[in-house]
Amino acid sequence: MAGHSSAAIAHAGNNPFLRAVAAISTLAGWISAAMIVTAVAITCQMIFVRFVLNGSTVWQTEAVIYLVISATLVGLPYVQRLRGHVNVDLIPLMLPKPARKALAILTLTASIVIVAIMLWYGYEYWHFAWARGWRSDTIWGVRLWIPYLSLPVGFALFLLQLIADLVAVLLKIDQPFGLEDR
């Protein structure tokens, strides 16, 4: 049985950096949602063309795949801001406040390093596609740098939100793991 997490949305306080990152993450969330809605609309159009008009589809499946993957990547910072990622808070709840803060700093720092590495390789992959003029092997032949752009953009925005979360914990604007004292 699933329960509701006790973690709350990331706090920004009056810190201009944290507020700017929160606004950027929220915008990324809205863009991600628009991509999902667009993918659903294209899927409905594809179903209509195939089953009502008995026609063939050329670009729709590929576009839906790219939109959903891009929405996932671009939506990462918004989900992080809402603390919507999978979170097991049993250990942080059992720890005393100083140990909880140390664990939060450790996990956020490790996450920042991992996401920075993913950003580096995501950028490199996108740049190869752009510099070499890669195209998909389908009839549509989309230039692959366009959907691959979501790799560096999504990871850069996610990295920015993780850094903001770390700053908020260090400046005591937000509680470690978003957990209030019990």
Side-chain angles (χ1 to χ4, degrees), residues 51-132:
F51 295 104
V52 175
L53 302 179
N54 201 25
S56 62
T57 56
V58 175
W59 57 272
Q60 289 89 337
T61 302
E62 191 173 7
V64 167
I65 291 168
Y66 290 143
L67 281 168
V68 170
I69 292 170
S70 296
T72 301
L73 291 166
V74 172
L76 286 170
Y78 183 65
V79 175
Q80 176 67 23
R81 181 172 179 269
L82 296 180
R83 302 191 196 285
H85 288 112
V86 175
N87 185 26
V88 179
D89 54 6
L90 179 63
I91 294 172
L93 284 172
M94 292 173 42
L95 292 174
K97 193 172 180 180
R100 184 184 302 170
K101 183 174 182 176
L103 181 62
I105 291 169
L106 177 70
T107 57
L108 282 169
T109 302
S111 298
I112 287 167
V113 169
I114 291 167
V115 172
I117 292 168
M118 294 173 76
L119 170 60
W120 173 264
Y121 285 109
Y123 172 79
E124 186 177 53
Y125 192 61
W126 167 81
H127 189 265
F128 280 153
W130 179 73
R132 296 176 183 176

Side-chain angles (χ1 to χ4, degrees), residues 4-174:
H4 181 69
S5 174
S6 56
I9 189 170
H11 297 289
N14 289 327
N15 186 297
F17 170 70
L18 297 179
R19 292 177 65 120
V21 172
I24 291 167
S25 294
T26 301
L27 178 63
W30 280 98
I31 291 169
S32 178
M35 288 181 192
I36 295 291
V37 169
T38 303
V40 169
I42 291 171
T43 301
C44 292
Q45 186 268 351
M46 179 174 53
I47 292 168
F48 180 79
V49 167
R50 293 197 78 182
F51 295 104
V52 175
L53 302 179
N54 201 25
S56 62
T57 56
V58 175
W59 57 272
Q60 289 89 337
T61 302
E62 191 173 7
V64 167
I65 291 168
Y66 290 143
L67 281 168
V68 170
I69 292 170
S70 296
T72 301
L73 291 166
V74 172
L76 286 170
Y78 183 65
V79 175
Q80 176 67 23
R81 181 172 179 269
L82 296 180
R83 302 191 196 285
H85 288 112
V86 175
N87 185 26
V88 179
D89 54 6
L90 179 63
I91 294 172
L93 284 172
M94 292 173 42
L95 292 174
K97 193 172 180 180
R100 184 184 302 170
K101 183 174 182 176
L103 181 62
I105 291 169
L106 177 70
T107 57
L108 282 169
T109 302
S111 298
I112 287 167
V113 169
I114 291 167
V115 172
I117 292 168
M118 294 173 76
L119 170 60
W120 173 264
Y121 285 109
Y123 172 79
E124 186 177 53
Y125 192 61
W126 167 81
H127 189 265
F128 280 153
W130 179 73
R132 296 176 183 176
W134 289 354
R135 289 184 167 275
S136 67
D137 293 334
T138 62
I139 296 171
W140 191 26
V142 67
R143 293 180 303 253
L144 290 175
W145 71 266
I146 298 168
Y148 291 178
L149 184 61
S150 64
L151 285 164
V153 168
F155 286 129
L157 295 174
F158 188 33
L159 181 63
L160 189 63
Q161 182 61 52
L162 287 169
I163 291 169
D165 289 348
L166 180 60
V167 168
V169 169
L170 291 173
L171 296 178
K172 298 180 181 176
I173 294 171
D174 202 1

